[in-house]
Amino acid sequence: MKIMPCPLNGPRNISEFTYGGEFKLMPDPNTCSDAEWADYVFNSNNLAGVVTEWWMHTASSYWFLAERHTVTDQIIRTYDPSERFSQRVEFNLPASREEEVSA
Amino acid sequence: MPFSLLKYGLSSDYPVEVDLPAPTELKPSYDVVIIGGGGHGLAIAYYLAKYHGITNVAVLEKSYLGSGNTARNTAVIRSNYLTSEGVRFYTESVRLFKELSNEFDFNIMYSERGQLTLAHTDATVRAFRQRAEVNKHFGGRTEMIDRQQIRELVPSLNLDPGHLPVLAGLWHIDGATARHDAVAWGYAKQAAKRGVEIHQLTEAQDFVLDGDRVSAIKTNRGTVRCGCVVQAIAGHSSLLLNKLGIRAPIHSYPLQAMVTQPFKPFLDPLVSSSALHCYVQQTSRGEVVFGGGSDPYPLYNTRSTLELKESLLAHAIEMFPFLAQAKLMRQWAGITDMTPDYSPIMGLSPLDNYYLDAGWGTWGFKATPICGKTMAELVASGGQVPELIQPFALERFSRFEQVNEMGATAASH
């Protein structure tokens, strides 16, 4: 059994967790081009080495970040996203789009 | 007469057949360099030589021939896909597979047994009806069958596994298996016979770029210049693409499979169930092969895990209860380059003379002949993408035109 150290719940069996993808910064959906958005949605580095990725403790729906080595499968560090995000990410649509949606 | 046979064996008249010529030094330059000496890379080399007369070709293999995912798949050949693009592509592959033994004069042990996919819910029955119709329309042989027909086809199958009784089945008559190593050997031998150089233990490590072209490849045995390059590696596609700065939607997951001790023949068709995350087949030697879903998170490591074996076997035993007594002989895993739509990435790359044969996830072996043939056409024409593989271009993701085959995998991932 592989153990994942959850920053909220402590060490748990890795089967209690869901993998959430590579950690990458989102471009501004209001201003970025379609190509930039497609790159963000689909493409990945898929590195062999230490990567930062999103994980969720499934039972408590708690999302956190983990540094993991993708060759040895060693989990190096897990931490709360507050270390990377100091404020809430807003997804507000611009005024023109909002009108389209409500129309 | 045993004595005369022995004498003949020792005499110089005995026809010694060399499969591959002895290794040579790399030449300084080739018209085409193919990175990856698995089924795909060797097939591309073979068709280049056979149909297009291009023989100044080097196949670079970092280990030995067919040691990567060609040696690690479960040897299933089928074309019962979901989209018209997928069905046309894989149907042509099945057609070519049927001819390969004759073409090579070498037995690839192609064995047509049919593939049965089980439906355990009404939603799956509806999806299967669609797949059967799409298949028939594009030349595959697939039909829906009911419980009674399933019982007759596979008498040892438990039709009421726990909470998931079998409602119907998708019967794919073209489903088959072939000896996966033999496919690589056959292509290698025939390509080498036509003058292709196959360099084992030769790893492509880096590239020399000249504007938008790759002018040379740095290997552990020196640098070779190239007219064009085909990337045909599995499991590490991203790592090579990263060196060229090409971004691709590939995530690499291990896919584990295992095989039991041999039994007397009891199972002719290949049986799979995506609801039970499991597919089962009996080899011609009597062993039972199990495959299932990929590992739940990306990894470049083919280690075995107990969790996956346990869940895979639990489901296999639900389908075939007597297997609870079976002894496992061995387990293996391959690294699968999964794409978001479960279709390959074939064709042009952002570089002028660099062609892609990547993103083969769990569906690479069954595409080996058609992949080789179409990629050879692409290379020989200098970049005109054959119609059959146009839907699988890398740009389909930035155009939001994916070819969704997720529902047509043998076991859900």
Side-chain angles (χ1 to χ4, degrees), chain B residues 82 121-132 144 170 407:
Chain B
L82 189 64
T121 64
D122 287 335
T124 317
V125 174
R126 283 195 293 276
F128 279 6
R129 283 207 185 100
Q130 184 193 351
R131 271 171 75 181
M144 294 288 295
L170 188 68

Side-chain angles (χ1 to χ4, degrees), chain B residues 6 32 67 91 134 136 140 149 180 188 202 225 228 233 241 358:
Chain B
L6 182 68
V32 183
S67 59
T91 301
V134 173
K136 276 184 219 162
Q149 287 167 300
H180 40 7
T202 308
R225 279 179 288 118
C228 69
I233 61 173
L241 289 172

Side-chain angles (χ1 to χ4, degrees), chain B residues 58-294:
Chain B
V59 179
L60 310 182
E61 167 54 50
K62 72 172 175 181
S63 180
Y64 57 93
L65 282 192
S67 59
N69 281 8
T70 301
R72 293 166 183 277
N73 60 73
T74 46
V76 175
I77 296 162
R78 64 185 178 89
S79 64
N80 55 350
Y81 277 75
L82 189 64
T83 66
S84 56
E85 296 91 340
V87 172
R88 287 177 61 215
F89 179 73
Y90 291 104
T91 301
E92 187 58 17
S93 201
V94 170
R95 199 184 65 75
L96 292 173
F97 256 119
K98 288 181 185 173
E99 301 298 324
L100 272 190
S101 292
N102 278 334
E103 195 170 337
F104 293 161
D105 194 18
F106 180 80
N107 191 0
I108 63 158
M109 297 168 76
Y110 182 82
S111 163
E112 197 176 286
R113 309 117 159 266
Q115 193 219 17
L116 173 65
T117 314
L118 305 174
H120 304 268
T121 64
D122 287 335
T124 317
V125 174
R126 283 195 293 276
F128 279 6
R129 283 207 185 100
Q130 184 193 351
R131 271 171 75 181
E133 293 311 315
V134 173
N135 246 249
K136 276 184 219 162
H137 192 72
F138 291 101
R141 290 186 295 166
T142 304
E143 55 194 53
M144 294 288 295
I145 59 173
D146 62 21
R147 272 172 69 98
Q148 182 55 35
Q149 287 167 300
I150 295 173
R151 192 175 286 125
E152 284 163 17
L153 261 177
V154 193
S156 50
L157 180 72
N158 171 21
L159 286 174
D160 295 290
H163 57 296
L164 288 168
V166 173
L167 302 180
L170 188 68
W171 174 231
H172 179 47
I173 299 153
D174 296 323
T177 59
R179 178 78 201 275
H180 40 7
D181 305 305
V183 172
W185 297 331
Y187 277 120
K189 194 173 161 179
Q190 294 299 327
K193 215 185 240 177
R194 289 167 169 79
V196 169
E197 287 185 21
I198 298 167
H199 293 280
Q200 305 185 56
L201 300 173
T202 308
E203 184 176 8
Q205 292 171 328
D206 212 346
F207 299 95
V208 182
L209 285 175
D210 175 16
D212 277 343
R213 297 177 68 81
V214 176
S215 59
I217 298 169
K218 294 180 184 168
T219 77
N220 55 337
R221 295 174 58 212
T223 302
V224 278
R225 279 179 288 118
C226 52
C228 69
V229 189
V230 185
Q231 169 178 334
I233 61 173
H236 293 77
S237 297
S238 300
L239 304 183
L240 212 52
L241 289 172
N242 286 348
K243 288 184 181 169
L244 290 163
I246 299 173
R247 308 258 301 154
I250 294 174
H251 298 91
S252 300
Y253 293 83
L255 179 69
Q256 302 184 47
M258 63 193 103
V259 63
T260 67
Q261 65 183 106
F263 288 92
K264 71 177 182 181
F266 72 95
L267 178 62
D268 190 39
L270 319 163
V271 181
S272 70
S273 159
S274 54
L276 292 174
H277 305 281
C278 184
Y279 60 96
V280 181
Q281 84 208 46
Q282 189 173 26
T283 70
S284 48
R285 280 181 296 196
E287 301 148 349
V288 185
V289 177
F290 305 105
S294 302

Side-chain angles (χ1 to χ4, degrees), chain B residues 247-374:
Chain B
R247 308 258 301 154
I250 294 174
H251 298 91
S252 300
Y253 293 83
L255 179 69
Q256 302 184 47
M258 63 193 103
V259 63
T260 67
Q261 65 183 106
F263 288 92
K264 71 177 182 181
F266 72 95
L267 178 62
D268 190 39
L270 319 163
V271 181
S272 70
S273 159
S274 54
L276 292 174
H277 305 281
C278 184
Y279 60 96
V280 181
Q281 84 208 46
Q282 189 173 26
T283 70
S284 48
R285 280 181 296 196
E287 301 148 349
V288 185
V289 177
F290 305 105
S294 302
D295 275 26
Y297 56 90
L299 202 62
Y300 284 104
N301 190 330
T302 53
R303 92 266 180 257
S304 153
T305 57
L306 184 61
E307 297 99 288
L308 205 126
K309 273 208 285 292
E310 278 180 343
S311 72
L312 189 50
L313 288 177
H315 288 125
I317 291 166
E318 278 191 279
M319 283 158 80
F320 297 99
F322 84 95
L323 285 173
Q325 305 301 322
K327 289 186 172 61
L328 278 186
M329 285 213 305
R330 59 181 188 278
Q331 168 281 339
W332 67 94
I335 307 291
T336 58
D337 288 337
M338 302 297 289
T339 55
D341 59 359
Y342 288 58
S343 286
I345 295 171
M346 296 179 79
L348 306 175
S349 79
L351 296 170
D352 284 345
N353 64 338
Y354 195 83
Y355 304 115
L356 299 175
D357 173 29
W360 279 105
T362 63
W363 47 89
F365 174 70
K366 64 178 70 63
T368 304
I370 191 59
C371 166
K373 203 172 168 191
T374 49

